[in-house]
Structure formats: structure tokens, C-alpha cells
Amino acid sequence: MLTRLASPLMSNGWMIEVANLTKRYAGHTAVSDISFTVGRGEIVGLLGPNGAGKSTTMRILSGLMPATSGTVRVAGFDVFRDSREVRRRIGFMPENNPLHTDMRVREYLRFRARLKGLGGKRLKERVNTVMEQCGLTDVSRRIIGQLSKGYRQRVGLADALVHEPELIILDEPTIGLDPHQIRSVRQLIKNLGRSHTVLISTHILPEVEMTCNRMVIMYQGKILAADTPENLQQLMSSNSQVIAEIAAPESDLYECWTQIAEIERFDVAAVDGQYYRCALTPRNGLDLRPYIYALAKERGWYIRELTRSRHSLEDIYVQVTRPDEEEEGEEFTA
Amino acid sequence: MQAYLTLTRRELGGFFFSITGYIIIAAAAFLIGLSFVVILQALGNKPYPVPVTELFYVTHFFWLILLLAIPVITMRLFALEKYSGTFETLMTTPVTELQVVAAKFTAALVFYVVMWLPLLGCMWILTRYTTGGALDAGVIGTTFLGILLLGSLFLSLGCFASALTRNQVTAAMISLALSVGVFMLSFLGARVPDADWKSQVLALVALPDHMSDFVRGTLDTRPAVFCLSLTFFFLFLTLRVIESRRWK
């Protein structure tokens, strides 16, 4: 948090500066006039559905492809003109994490470290360190082609870290991992943020919430929103629904929900037996749960579920991409 | 320099980690051995007034090995890495395109030389079990120099072909077409009148003629310069193809 506050004060202290970046392929625009900055020490998540332009942005950042227009600077170096300087400072793990499957883990990491200019004692040290960091010590002599997806992902991660880059770019680092591995990778990314700047891309919202200081939402090649996860969550949950499954006479429920002024919309549906599923939308970001509990207690209703729906990424897209569109459904307006 | 050596070692490793490398060497060794047997039989019937190295060369196995093995050696260089995506991870490290092209070419050249080593074995057998000095070191030297020069020319064609595509088979076909094309140009020379300027140009391209000079122990700088300059030309083209991803 401190770095976030400090970085704007240092006018050229940005790790990544993207200004008016556009990338056009024959026929379609992958990234359209985006600008954003990332300060040193930040962990920033690029969030978006497939085809939003996340990977294209990352590939331009790491100098793999040129931009059609706009400028991209990493640590003050132009990614196109000072490509080598930029590549020295970046650890990049591409989306499908391609590896030399015929090499052994340690051998591969040593090979990559040498390409990145490490040598001698430092090379040995760094390879050992990243293997430990990524939990690869047990498989150091295994052939990469025979490793499971999770281990391969970790090899890719270890490769991105091995030369202690200032900026680490990870394209979908947790894709295809099991929940345990996802957890450990997230923890690793979080720890990295202490000494590195990290840019990750994902389409999983909790991932960004858990690991990032800031998120940038991309959709159809444009940036829709960029803020801290907390702020965006708050923005989103301001009118988040409360779901309650209550055993009560249907007419009572209709009556109650209509009377409560804080409820903007509601929907009641029979579930099974005497239970009704009520979806309640608050008027001004209020958390309706205490009200409902108090009401049920007062009236002697049985509640078997009372949850506040967390907004998924999908909802955010719907909200951010189509702000004017009327919501569908058969909700009643109070 | 460190990146170049590391990459060269990795490429060489790639040849020997996979079975393809051994298959290529085995096939070449088989063809070399076969030509050796053919020569021995011919020599058993009647004496020849030419060096044994030239006999190796006139059996046609030589061109077969050269034209067929090289596309197989070079096809994987860029195409495989582009296909598997490791070329991208390679280009995110601070290596230069020149280092990559040079390393891949060097590795292919080293492998190619290793592939020809059985010929040296055959020659050793000849000198060991015959009397009267059937071979001298100079002739063997120029023969291998010729093999190296022609090889580097065709290897550079193969590098170029491999850089053009992501598909190894396509790369091999392009490389084969290019090498056979260059090889066939040599025979056009005989079809134009001697005094014509065209025939003089074609004489420069006449690879079999150059090679027959080498196997006789003649060291001519013209074919050497020709092979080397074409090699560099095609390596330069390869470099441009690799660099082109930065303008696309």
C-alpha cells in the first residue's frame, strides 16, 4: 500500500508505463488505445475474459511483438528500442508455459539462467533458491516431459524468477492446477510482491482479490476499470442481492418485502415443501441480512439459507460493459 | 558469448537427446558403409588410377547423404521451437537474434561433421590394411574440407527453410527443394556453350565439379569462397526472417 502512495510522487518511478497502446492484427483490433501504469512493488492483476487483450498486452510488454502504436516502457526503457535492456529486467511466463520437455528440471533451469546471463556461483545459488521456492527440489532430476501439469507450471514459474527480475509477468499462472497447487502458487506470488513488481493475468476474480494490490479489468481490448480489489468489490456489492430460503406463507413474504423500503426489487420462488427462495436487491448498498434475520425471528419463520451473493467476474463484466442495459428477469419493483 | 555457447550446447543436446539424431547418424553410417563395400568390390576387380576418396565421391551415395540428411538435420532447428512455443520463451531472454541463428547453425554443423565420421573410419581401414599408401592425409583433409563447405551451404539453406515455418515437414520439404535446386543448377552448365557468360556463371555453381576437385586433393579458393558466401547469405536471410517478428 505504501508503494502505491509513494509511486505517483516519483514521476519516473513507474515499473510499467503503457501509453495509448494499440495492437491491430489484420482485420481486428486486439488492444485499443489503452493506458495504465504500474508502480514498483505492486502486484497488479489483468482481469478479463478470453480475447480481452490480456495476453497481447503482456506479449507486447515483454517485447515479443511490436505495438501498432503507442509507447510501452518498462523500468524506463522502451520495450521496442531497448528490447534487450527490458528483457534483462523481465521474467515472463507465457500462457501455455512452453518448456523443453526433453530436459531435466535442474538442467533446464541452469540453461535458462545461463541465457539470462547468470554464471558461476550465483547461477548455482539462484537455481537452488528458485527450486526450493517453487517446490521443485524433489523432482530436480526428472525429465520435464514426464512431470505433471502442476510441476511443469512450477518449472515455468521458477524459470521466470531465476534471474531475479525486477518485473515478473505471469500469463494465467494458475490455469490447470489443482486447488492445493493454486493455493501455493498464489502464496508464492504474494511473497514475490515483497521484492518484485508482479503483473499477472487471470479470469478468476478471487485470485486477484487474494493476491493483487490492484486490478485492471480489460474487455474487448479496452480497460474498463482499474482500482484496488476492495474498491471494485464495494462498487459491485453496493447492490448485491441477498438470497434467503424461508419457510413462511407466500403471501406473508410478498407483503413483508413490499413493505420494507430498503428493498428495491425482490423475487420469490417456491423451492420444495414450504420453503421459498427469495432474492432481494437492496436499494442503497445496504446489507439486508440482519433485517431479514430480525424479521424471521419476530414472525417465527424458519430460515435455512441466508447469503449475500458475491459478485463473480461475470457480474462485473455485465455491470461494467453494459451499464445502460435493463436487467432481465421477472423481479417485482417495490 | 555465454548465450551463444549455452544455446549451441542445448541444440546439440537436442540432437542427441532425441532418437532422430541417432537415426540420422545410423542411416548415414549405413550409406557410407555401403559405398565402402561397393568400392572395395570394384577395387578387387581391377585397379583404378584415381584416389580412393574420389571413388567414395563418384558412387552417388555421397549426394544422397548430403541432400537427404541435411533437411532432416535442419528441419527441427526453428520449426520445432516455434511449434512448441519455446521459441517465444527463448526470445524473452536477453539473447540476440544473431546469437540464436549462429548457435543453431553451429550445432547443426557439428552434428553434420559427426555424421560424416564413419567415412574417416572407412579410410582408416583402407590405410591400415593396404600397402603402398592408398591415401594421404592431404587428400583426406581436402575431402573433409569439401564435405564441410558443401555441407555448410546446404545447412544454411535448411536453416532458412526451418525459420520460414512452424511445421518441421514443411521445413524439410522447402530445404530439400532448395538444395536439389542448387544442386541441379550445376548440370545446366553443360547445356550452354562454353564461351557464353552464362556457362561461366554456372561453372561457379557446379558443385559436383568443385567437389571432385576437393576429393582429388586440389584446393581451389573459388568454390570455397562460393560456398562460404552463399552460406553467409542464407544465414543472413534466416536472421532477417527471425527478426521480422519484431516488425510484424
Side-chain angles (χ1 to χ4, degrees):
Chain A
M1 219 54 222
L2 198 71
T3 47
R4 251 217 96 200
L5 292 172
S7 46
L9 299 175
M10 308 182 289
S11 57
N12 52 3
W14 299 111
M15 194 66 221
I16 303 175
E17 296 170 77
V18 176
N20 309 104
L21 172 68
T22 299
K23 175 71 189 178
R24 262 190 294 273
Y25 295 110
H28 90 117
T29 307
V31 174
S32 151
D33 195 30
I34 64 166
S35 302
F36 67 93
T37 47
V38 175
R40 283 176 195 273
E42 271 191 305
I43 305 180
V44 173
L46 271 184
L47 198 63
N50 297 332
K54 294 170 292 175
S55 290
T56 306
T57 309
M58 288 185 148
R59 288 157 60 90
I60 293 171
L61 269 172
S62 47
L64 277 176
M65 55 160 76
T68 309
S69 66
T71 53
V72 179
R73 289 169 161 276
V74 170
F77 294 99
D78 186 284
V79 288
F80 188 65
R81 269 180 297 135
D82 304 309
S83 172
R84 278 186 88 193
E85 287 301 320
V86 169
R87 282 183 276 160
R88 258 187 251 283
R89 289 168 171 78
I90 283 186
F92 180 51
M93 185 172 103
E95 194 172 3
N96 42 10
N97 185 26
L99 301 165
H100 289 289
T101 44
D102 56 348
M103 294 176 99
R104 291 174 197 280
V105 173
R106 183 188 291 274
E107 181 192 20
Y108 176 73
L109 290 175
R110 287 177 63 89
F111 161 70
R112 296 287 300 176
R114 269 205 206 92
L115 286 185
K116 293 170 179 182
L118 266 60
K121 219 173 136 190
R122 194 167 130 73
L123 175 123
K124 207 172 167 182
E125 261 173 32
R126 282 303 301 162
V127 169
N128 284 336
T129 312
V130 290
M131 284 209 305
E132 214 161 289
Q133 258 182 323
C134 301
L136 289 167
T137 318
D138 294 340
V139 293
S140 68
R141 302 225 3 104
R142 294 267 296 275
I143 290 172
I144 294 174
Q146 295 170 355
L147 291 177
S148 68
K149 172 99 183 157
Y151 272 117
R152 285 191 206 193
Q153 203 77 0
R154 290 195 233 174
V155 174
L157 209 56
D159 164 41
L161 305 180
V162 74
H163 57 304
E164 287 192 290
E166 290 171 49
L167 172 63
I168 297 164
I169 300 180
L170 309 170
D171 201 348
E172 311 246 345
T174 56
I175 200 165
L177 299 182
D178 70 37
H180 283 291
Q181 295 165 334
I182 289 180
R183 196 171 292 182
S184 67
V185 167
R186 281 179 190 159
Q187 193 54 47
L188 182 65
I189 293 172
K190 232 174 166 169
N191 292 342
L192 288 174
R194 293 190 190 133
S195 44
H196 303 81
T197 309
V198 185
L199 183 69
I200 68 169
S201 80
T202 179
H203 50 245
I204 308 162
L205 186 62
E207 189 154 298
V208 181
E209 276 186 276
M210 262 176 261
T211 50
C212 301
N213 316 125
R214 204 149 61 88
M215 58 198 247
V216 174
I217 301 179
M218 286 187 79
Y219 184 73
Q220 292 185 338
K222 292 194 179 70
I223 291 178
L224 295 178
D227 210 330
T228 59
E230 294 80 22
N231 287 354
L232 282 175
Q233 273 287 305
Q234 215 150 30
L235 190 76
M236 294 308 144
S237 57
S238 63
N239 45 5
S240 73
Q241 282 187 335
V242 167
I243 303 288
E245 282 192 19
I246 300 172
E250 200 178 351
S251 54
D252 277 17
L253 289 170
Y254 274 106
E255 193 196 318
C256 279
W257 302 152
T258 320
Q259 276 170 8
I260 298 174
E262 281 79 11
I263 295 176
E264 191 184 316
R265 274 196 306 262
F266 67 88
D267 181 34
V268 178
V271 191
D272 57 278
Q274 60 223 139
Y275 280 97
Y276 289 91
R277 190 178 176 84
C278 310
L280 311 162
T281 312
R283 197 171 289 285
N284 42 16
L286 247 125
D287 188 356
L288 289 172
R289 286 172 297 183
Y291 288 87
I292 295 164
Y293 177 71
L295 195 72
K297 205 173 158 192
E298 186 192 308
R299 302 220 169 187
W301 295 344
Y302 290 111
I303 298 186
R304 72 174 180 191
E305 190 190 329
L306 184 59
T307 46
R308 191 175 185 212
S309 67
R310 303 267 290 165
H311 271 268
S312 66
L313 180 58
E314 234 171 77
D315 300 331
I316 296 185
Y317 286 138
V318 172
Q319 293 213 0
V320 189
T321 56
R322 306 178 202 147
D324 307 323
E325 211 165 290
E326 284 294 308
E327 279 196 49
E328 290 162 29
E330 293 169 59
E331 286 102 338
F332 290 82
T333 307
Chain B
M1 198 61 192
Q2 185 188 338
Y4 165 73
L5 290 177
T6 309
L7 276 173
T8 309
R9 241 174 58 187
R10 156 67 207 153
E11 283 302 321
L12 268 178
F15 281 117
F16 290 105
F17 285 150
S18 69
I19 191 119
T20 37
Y22 296 100
I23 290 177
I24 297 171
I25 289 179
F30 173 73
L31 288 176
I32 292 168
L34 205 61
S35 66
F36 185 54
V37 172
V38 170
I39 291 164
L40 283 190
Q41 274 177 343
L43 282 177
N45 294 335
K46 54 175 182 167
Y48 279 85
V50 290
V52 182
T53 44
E54 186 168 355
L55 290 177
F56 266 110
Y57 161 71
V58 292
T59 51
H60 298 296
F61 284 111
F62 175 80
W63 292 104
L64 200 63
I65 299 170
L66 203 66
L67 291 176
L68 287 185
I70 286 180
V72 184
I73 294 175
T74 53
M75 66 181 187
R76 61 189 293 281
L77 289 178
F78 294 96
L80 177 66
E81 285 220 62
K82 280 188 180 175
Y83 177 76
S84 70
T86 47
F87 195 71
E88 272 195 355
T89 41
L90 175 62
M91 294 325 284
T92 56
T93 60
V95 295
T96 61
E97 281 90 354
L98 182 65
Q99 285 170 331
V100 174
V101 172
K104 286 185 183 279
F105 177 74
T106 313
L109 194 63
V110 171
F111 181 82
Y112 169 80
V113 170
V114 170
M115 184 188 86
W116 276 106
L117 287 182
L119 182 61
L120 207 59
C122 293
M123 291 179 177
W124 179 81
I125 292 172
L126 269 184
T127 45
R128 177 79 177 69
Y129 294 102
T130 54
T131 48
L135 285 166
D136 67 78
V139 176
I140 295 177
T142 52
T143 302
F144 267 87
L145 185 67
I147 288 174
L148 193 69
L149 285 171
L150 282 184
S152 59
L153 167 56
F154 286 133
L155 285 168
S156 69
L157 285 175
C159 274
F160 174 61
S162 187
L164 289 176
T165 169
R166 299 160 48 92
N167 185 316
Q168 289 196 65
V169 179
T170 314
M173 294 312 286
I174 295 173
S175 158
L176 189 67
L178 283 175
S179 349
V180 171
V182 170
F183 178 65
M184 286 303 176
L185 269 184
S186 324
F187 297 107
L188 270 181
R191 300 201 147 264
V192 274
D194 261 355
D196 204 341
W197 63 270
K198 286 178 235 160
S199 81
Q200 284 172 2
V201 171
L202 286 169
L204 282 176
V205 192
L207 298 174
D209 292 352
H210 300 333
M211 195 57 208
S212 54
D213 282 349
F214 282 122
V215 289
R216 280 188 199 131
T218 320
L219 195 57
D220 191 349
T221 49
R222 281 171 305 174
V225 169
F226 171 76
C227 284
L228 285 178
S229 45
L230 264 192
T231 303
F232 280 114
F233 176 66
F234 277 103
L235 287 180
F236 172 72
L237 286 187
T238 313
L239 185 63
R240 299 311 272 181
V241 172
I242 296 302
E243 280 173 348
S244 73
R245 97 203 138 77
R246 287 208 266 143
W247 332 312
K248 274 187 214 161

